[in-house]
Amino acid sequence: MLLYILNMLVFGLGLYCLIAKRHIIKKIIGMVIIEYSVNLFLILVGYRINGIAPILSPGENPIVFSQVAVDPLPQALVLTSIVIGLGTLALMAAYSIKLYEKYRTFDMSEINRLKG
Amino acid sequence: MLEIILIFIIVGTVIAIETRNMLSSVIAVGAVGFGVSLMFLFLQAPDIAITQVIVEILSLIILIRTTTYADNEAIEKRLDTFANMTGLIFLGLFLAFCYWAFSDLTSFGQPLMNVSQYYLSAGLTDTGAANIVAAVILDYRAYDTLGEAIVIFTSILGAFVLLRTKGKKKTEEKDIEKVGIPE
């Protein structure tokens, strides 16, 4: 339970960064931190005490293996989620560069004022 | 052990949020990412740990490129105490709700494995893959992986379209030649 709460504290800090900061790159950083925290939470939920990685080594008994290995399903889904995080990060960086070229600033409230 | 790494992650997050210099803020995010990767390694997820390291390095490169595009000074703006206090109160409320909601989850270390138990016991005979994570990605949930590949492709295509300069300039010049520059 302590691990879950600490993990959600990271989520809350990322949310604060996303909302309160005015620099666009700070906002992107908040987004990245939220992403890390959610990925980590899914892996934490699937952990089994004293578990082993879900990879069969040669000569291992499959029945014993299925009783001690950690949950492979969240690992498989988080694996693709991490790579999608990289793709969306590239998109966000491209947008912020475009915004800088148009408005010559990274300040969000300044961009709101200059709009139109 | 896991708590120590999580506290390291929290400290890195606070540094990343509150540092004035944008470049050191980005570097702190890199430290957080490597901490998360270490956490994955201790949680018996080696595939994800390797992927996280690679993705972390690439995203660090992207963020540093974006930061050095302009001067890397942070925007000076102090929140007043009222906003700070409200933020802290809502963070506390959020954590309290999390505590209340997580009491419905199974406790740490005893996962609910209704579907995964089948994957673990029959994965080798069904798919022939010794790595059950690879079996889930590429066999049991291959359509899911295909959809996620489409998402990655779309986002990279969007970034490419936003950042290209050559094609756009050419068409604009052609338009000017066609219409003629208004005097």
Side-chain angles (χ1 to χ4, degrees), chain B residues 120-132:
Chain B
L120 281 177
S121 51
L124 185 62
T125 48
D126 276 2
T127 64
N131 188 346
I132 308 294

Side-chain angles (χ1 to χ4, degrees), chain B residues 62-145:
Chain B
I62 292 172
L63 277 176
I64 288 175
R65 179 70 189 86
T66 316
T67 308
T68 52
Y69 201 75
D71 43 351
N72 58 359
E73 61 185 20
I75 291 155
E76 300 282 331
K77 180 210 164 202
R78 288 224 164 258
L79 283 175
D80 50 351
T81 43
F82 175 72
N84 267 333
M85 289 311 290
T86 322
L88 275 180
I89 287 169
F90 272 99
L91 189 57
L93 268 180
F94 175 70
L95 289 181
F97 271 110
C98 284
Y99 186 78
W100 176 67
F102 289 162
S103 58
D104 281 347
L105 281 178
T106 55
S107 60
F108 178 70
Q110 280 126 28
L112 195 66
M113 295 171 68
N114 291 335
V115 186
S116 315
Q117 203 60 56
Y118 173 76
Y119 292 155
L120 281 177
S121 51
L124 185 62
T125 48
D126 276 2
T127 64
N131 188 346
I132 308 294
V133 175
V136 173
I137 288 178
L138 297 175
D139 194 305
Y140 289 115
R141 294 185 183 235
Y143 282 120
D144 207 352
T145 311

Side-chain angles (χ1 to χ4, degrees), chain A residues 32 35 39 80-90 92, chain B residues 55 59 152:
Chain A
V32 169
E35 224 173 71
N39 288 341
T80 40
S81 155
I82 290 173
V83 183
I84 284 177
L86 181 65
T88 50
L89 174 69
M92 285 190 285
Chain B
V55 164
S59 62
I152 298 168

Side-chain angles (χ1 to χ4, degrees), chain A residues 22 103-105 107-116:
Chain A
R22 302 203 302 179
Y103 293 109
R104 288 283 141 201
T105 176
D107 192 339
M108 206 62 208
S109 52
E110 195 77 3
I111 289 171
N112 267 334
R113 199 173 57 75
L114 291 171
K115 188 174 64 183

Side-chain angles (χ1 to χ4, degrees), chain A residues 3-106:
Chain A
L3 283 170
Y4 293 164
I5 295 294
L6 284 177
N7 195 9
M8 279 300 132
L9 181 61
V10 177
F11 185 95
L13 287 173
L15 198 63
Y16 165 77
C17 186
L18 189 62
I19 292 170
K21 296 291 172 183
R22 302 203 302 179
H23 203 290
I24 290 180
I25 295 174
K26 276 273 164 89
K27 281 180 189 289
I28 293 177
I29 284 172
M31 196 78 200
V32 169
I33 286 168
I34 287 179
E35 224 173 71
Y36 286 162
S37 129
V38 171
N39 288 341
L40 194 54
F41 179 69
L42 290 177
I43 298 295
L44 275 173
V45 168
Y47 182 65
R48 183 181 268 176
I49 286 272
N50 296 327
I52 59 169
I55 299 170
L56 265 167
S57 40
E60 199 168 6
N61 188 358
I63 297 160
V64 176
F65 168 75
S66 74
Q67 295 303 318
V68 295
V70 300
D71 197 345
L73 191 55
Q75 295 196 12
L77 298 183
V78 165
L79 192 63
T80 40
S81 155
I82 290 173
V83 183
I84 284 177
L86 181 65
T88 50
L89 174 69
L91 188 61
M92 285 190 285
Y95 264 120
S96 62
I97 286 177
K98 272 291 154 194
L99 276 175
Y100 185 82
E101 279 179 356
K102 189 162 168 59
Y103 293 109
R104 288 283 141 201
T105 176
F106 272 139

